[in-house]
Amino acid sequence: MKILVLGAGAWGTALAMSASQNPQLRHEVTLWARDAVQAAAMRATRLNARYLPDLPLPVSLRVVDGPARGLAALAQGQDLVVVGTPMAGLRGVLQELAGFDQAVAWLCKGFEPADQGRHGLLAHEIQAQLAPGLRAGVLSGPSFAQEVARGQPTALVAASRHAAVRERLVQAFHSPTLRVYDNEDIVGVEVGGAVKNVLAIATGLCDGLGLGLNARAALITRGLAEMTRL
């Protein structure tokens, strides 16, 4: 499978590394960086020194750079495009990919910053505005980029209304150490990805106050129940 990952931050790089090293499938993975200097350094040193300094890039991982306006041409011929930009950059990328006819998925969690009286939108709402014809979805879940890049056990969920998108994401990233489960509820997955950070901050406060493991377990249990109701 030909996979293009847009965004050479920690999470985009980690997933590109994971797909490149999948022992069961021989994917052709390309990682795009907006910053030409960063991309050149990654090609020369085979490291993403800015975000994952101790983890060498796989030999097979191709690193490219260029302006965002060239993304549509870069995406041609790819089987899957994964958008690893921050939420603030998703709108511009989706505008460039509006005519792409293969699967697209984003990694960003949360809401778009409100602007000029516009409420903050979830990623699928931005896509519905700008590129309603895209076959798109989200890859999300409780995860740290460094652990995925190291090949430590992780579970994610591929959510989309399109079965073909979910299947493509599972084929791209499912491996012995990275388990990808498919789900039709893209709204629920995006809401969960956004509001779980509130629970994470509260858990950190609980630990900082020294309230103990019982309090932490109670907070997580009741927090998950509240997230489910929401």
Side-chain angles (χ1 to χ4, degrees):
M1 183 186 302
K2 293 184 178 180
I3 304 168
L4 172 64
V5 180
L6 302 176
W11 194 212
T13 302
L15 279 176
M17 292 171 65
S18 179
S20 297
Q21 297 173 126
N22 192 319
Q24 299 173 342
L25 300 170
R26 295 182 179 275
H27 297 311
E28 296 180 26
V29 185
T30 301
L31 177 63
W32 172 84
R34 181 189 297 271
D35 186 337
V37 175
Q38 180 194 10
M42 290 173 66
R43 287 191 291 267
T45 65
R46 303 308 297 173
L47 288 171
N48 188 334
R50 186 180 301 177
Y51 295 105
L52 301 170
D54 301 322
L55 299 168
L57 301 177
V59 174
S60 61
L61 178 60
R62 177 175 172 239
V63 179
V64 301
D65 61 86
R69 290 188 179 275
L71 292 181
L74 185 62
Q76 293 305 310
Q78 301 292 322
D79 301 304
L80 171 67
V81 173
V82 178
V83 183
T85 65
M87 180 63 75
L90 181 63
R91 181 174 290 270
V93 172
L94 289 180
Q95 284 178 324
E96 293 298 318
L97 296 176
F100 186 61
D101 60 359
Q102 297 295 323
V104 175
W106 44 82
L107 307 175
C108 43
K109 301 183 180 80
F111 295 83
E112 184 182 44
D115 181 46
Q116 298 178 353
R118 184 181 67 231
H119 294 295
L121 301 178
L122 287 164
H124 75 276
E125 296 175 308
I126 300 172
Q127 182 248 319
Q129 281 187 352
L130 299 175
L134 274 183
R135 290 185 291 168
V138 60
L139 185 65
S140 188
S143 54
F144 290 106
Q146 291 84 352
E147 294 187 7
V148 170
R150 292 191 191 105
Q152 293 179 259
T154 304
L156 300 176
V157 58
S160 174
R161 297 185 180 92
H162 304 278
V165 174
R166 302 194 302 269
E167 292 169 4
R168 196 69 59 87
L169 286 167
V170 171
Q171 291 168 3
F173 296 108
H174 196 81
S175 74
T177 58
L178 180 59
R179 315 306 285 178
V180 182
Y181 301 90
D182 70 287
N183 195 296
E184 297 180 4
D185 184 12
I186 187 172
V187 178
V189 170
E190 287 192 342
V191 170
V195 302
K196 61 91 178 168
N197 288 329
V198 178
L199 179 58
I201 292 169
T203 304
L205 290 170
C206 184
D207 289 350
L209 291 169
L211 299 181
L213 296 179
N214 287 350
R216 178 201 258 201
L219 176 64
I220 293 173
T221 301
R222 299 314 308 157
L224 287 172
E226 185 172 317
M227 286 171 60
T228 301
R229 288 198 300 274
L230 180 59

